[in-house]
């Protein structure tokens, strides 16, 4: 009964997230006005900005899990670190692709080695390496420690990405503030950030369960079958 | 001269970049397809037994 109730709650949460996602997409694609300079192309912002923000949030969660794991080892922390690294990679790869598409009509190029773009590219390659490392190390404990150290090193890039547009004034614009943006655009952006945040939570929970189940499978010693003889070396 | 200025100011009001919906459509298609594929991959990898 409790299991069925939990399942219903999960389905309701996913449906609610999809509903908010659909409303947020409508506000960005239809309801919000076009930009004075960029026209309708600016509507890419309502997906690009939240996606990159979720990448940075996932990277921050990964960093916290890596630090916590080194001080207090737990398979749950390791599983959440694995989950957040993968979501950082997924949201970052899609978000960067959207940025490249936005760059073509506004900058004239899909890609430029601008500090913001370069630091994001480094982060994506680093998380791809992190996920590869987790696949190549068989011993769960050694894998968890090595990936925790790697995760902490990668996280150095997260604040650099955020501040890169302020430190090196280059092609990528600095973050806008609600004071300089049309209130309708702020409303649409906030709904989209909320929607993508909820999607991230759903993905994180699902990926965490996959990782935790794999860890428990790896570390649980199977019970001997009834009647099986124990071999003593 | 005045006509040229008029057309520039009018263009600013509507956005200097005219059209561009093909970029918006491509971006949202990639975003939604990417997220949907990742959701399917999570569903396919889901653990058959609940972790204790």
């Amino acid at each position: 009964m409790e299991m069925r109730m939990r399942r219903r709650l999960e389905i309701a949460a996913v449906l609610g997230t999809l509903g908010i996602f659909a409303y947020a997409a409508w506000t960005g694609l239809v309801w919000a006005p076009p930009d004075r300079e960029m026209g309708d192309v600016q509507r890419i912002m309502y997906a690009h900005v939240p996606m990159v923000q979720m990448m940075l949030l996932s990277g921050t969660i990964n960093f916290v899990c890596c630090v916590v794991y080194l001080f207090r080892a737990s398979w749950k922390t390791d599983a959440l670190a694995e989950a957040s690294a993968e979501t950082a990679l997924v949201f970052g790869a899609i978000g960067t692709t959207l940025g490249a598409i936005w760059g073509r009509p506004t900058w004239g190029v899909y890609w430029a080695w601008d500090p913001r773009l370069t630091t994001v590219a480094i982060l994506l390659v680093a998380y791809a390496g992190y996920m590869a490392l987790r696949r190549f190390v068989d011993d769960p404990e050694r894998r968890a420690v090595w990936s925790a150290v790697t995760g902490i090193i990668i996280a150095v890039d997260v604040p650099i990405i955020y501040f890169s547009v302020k430190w090196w004034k280059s092609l990528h614009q600095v973050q806008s503030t609600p004071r300089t943006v049309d209130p309708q655009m702020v409303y649409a952006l906030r709904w989209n950030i909320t929607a993508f945040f909820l999607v991230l939570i759903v993905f994180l929970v699902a990926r965490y369960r996959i990782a935790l189940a794999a860890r428990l499978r790896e570390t649980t010693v199977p019970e001997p079958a009834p009647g099986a003889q124990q071999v003593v070396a | 001269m005045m006509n040229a200025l008029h057309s520039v100011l009018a263009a600013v009001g509507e956005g200097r970049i005219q059209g561009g919906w093909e970029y918006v459509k491509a971006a949202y298609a990639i975003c939604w397809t990417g997220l949907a594929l990742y959701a399917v991959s999570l569903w396919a990898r889901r653990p058959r037994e609940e972790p204790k």
Side-chain angles (χ1 to χ4, degrees), chain A residues 7 9 19-20 95 135 138:
Chain A
R7 182 67 63 188
L9 279 173
I20 290 171
R135 287 208 162 227
D138 288 330

Side-chain angles (χ1 to χ4, degrees), chain B residues 1-16 18:
Chain B
M1 181 71 179
M2 285 303 285
N3 277 350
L5 184 64
H6 242 267
S7 61
V8 167
L9 288 175
V12 169
E14 294 166 19
R16 283 175 206 237
Q18 298 298 310

Side-chain angles (χ1 to χ4, degrees), chain A residues 40-135:
Chain A
D40 287 313
V41 171
Q42 176 267 344
R43 295 182 193 278
I44 296 173
M45 177 191 78
Y46 302 112
H48 167 69
V49 170
M51 289 293 281
V52 176
Q53 283 181 343
M54 294 313 124
M55 175 194 76
L56 294 175
L57 179 60
S58 294
T60 308
I61 293 170
N62 179 264
F63 169 71
V64 172
C65 290
C66 290
V67 172
V68 169
Y69 183 86
L70 290 180
F71 284 99
R72 200 174 157 183
S74 141
W75 293 130
K76 289 183 177 178
T77 317
D78 182 54
L80 188 56
E82 182 181 323
S84 54
E86 191 173 289
T87 53
L89 192 55
V90 169
F91 278 84
I94 300 173
T96 307
T97 308
L98 302 192
I101 294 170
W102 192 7
R104 183 69 184 87
T106 51
W107 296 344
V109 287
Y110 285 107
W111 186 265
W113 291 104
D114 162 272
R116 166 60 71 88
L117 276 65
T118 307
T119 48
V120 168
I122 290 169
L123 190 83
L124 294 180
V125 171
Y127 275 129
Y130 174 98
M131 295 307 291
L133 172 74
R134 295 196 68 98
R135 287 208 162 227

Side-chain angles (χ1 to χ4, degrees), chain A:
Chain A
M1 187 63 185
E2 192 181 315
M3 185 69 187
R4 194 183 291 175
M5 191 67 183
R6 205 178 110 185
R7 182 67 63 188
R8 281 182 186 170
L9 279 173
E10 284 175 358
I11 292 170
V14 171
L15 290 177
T17 300
L18 285 175
I20 290 171
F21 194 85
Y23 175 71
W26 175 80
T27 61
L29 285 171
V30 181
W31 183 76
D35 181 70
R36 191 180 64 183
E37 303 286 338
M38 291 183 274
D40 287 313
V41 171
Q42 176 267 344
R43 295 182 193 278
I44 296 173
M45 177 191 78
Y46 302 112
H48 167 69
V49 170
M51 289 293 281
V52 176
Q53 283 181 343
M54 294 313 124
M55 175 194 76
L56 294 175
L57 179 60
S58 294
T60 308
I61 293 170
N62 179 264
F63 169 71
V64 172
C65 290
C66 290
V67 172
V68 169
Y69 183 86
L70 290 180
F71 284 99
R72 200 174 157 183
S74 141
W75 293 130
K76 289 183 177 178
T77 317
D78 182 54
L80 188 56
E82 182 181 323
S84 54
E86 191 173 289
T87 53
L89 192 55
V90 169
F91 278 84
I94 300 173
T96 307
T97 308
L98 302 192
I101 294 170
W102 192 7
R104 183 69 184 87
T106 51
W107 296 344
V109 287
Y110 285 107
W111 186 265
W113 291 104
D114 162 272
R116 166 60 71 88
L117 276 65
T118 307
T119 48
V120 168
I122 290 169
L123 190 83
L124 294 180
V125 171
Y127 275 129
Y130 174 98
M131 295 307 291
L133 172 74
R134 295 196 68 98
R135 287 208 162 227
F136 289 137
V137 183
D138 288 330
D139 179 17
E141 285 184 24
R142 192 175 296 175
R143 180 203 302 142
V145 172
W146 286 7
S147 53
V149 174
T150 310
I152 291 168
I153 294 168
I154 295 171
V156 173
D157 196 24
V158 172
I160 295 175
I161 290 171
Y162 184 80
F163 289 108
S164 61
V165 287
K166 294 181 180 175
W167 291 342
W168 305 285
K169 295 201 184 301
S170 186
L171 192 55
H172 195 288
Q173 70 163 83
V174 294
Q175 295 91 340
S176 304
T177 68
R179 281 175 297 169
T180 60
V181 177
D182 187 292
Q184 276 184 287
M185 291 178 175
V186 176
Y187 179 86
L189 184 60
R190 282 185 179 158
W191 269 105
N192 275 280
I193 290 169
T194 306
F196 280 91
F197 176 71
L198 292 174
V199 170
L200 173 67
I201 297 297
V202 170
F203 283 174
L204 266 181
V205 170
R207 186 62 183 83
Y208 165 78
R209 285 179 181 167
I210 294 166
L212 187 60
R215 257 348 61 76
L216 295 178
R217 260 199 317 274
E218 285 174 325
T219 54
T220 307
V221 179
E223 287 179 18
Q229 289 186 341
Q230 195 175 4
V231 179
V232 180

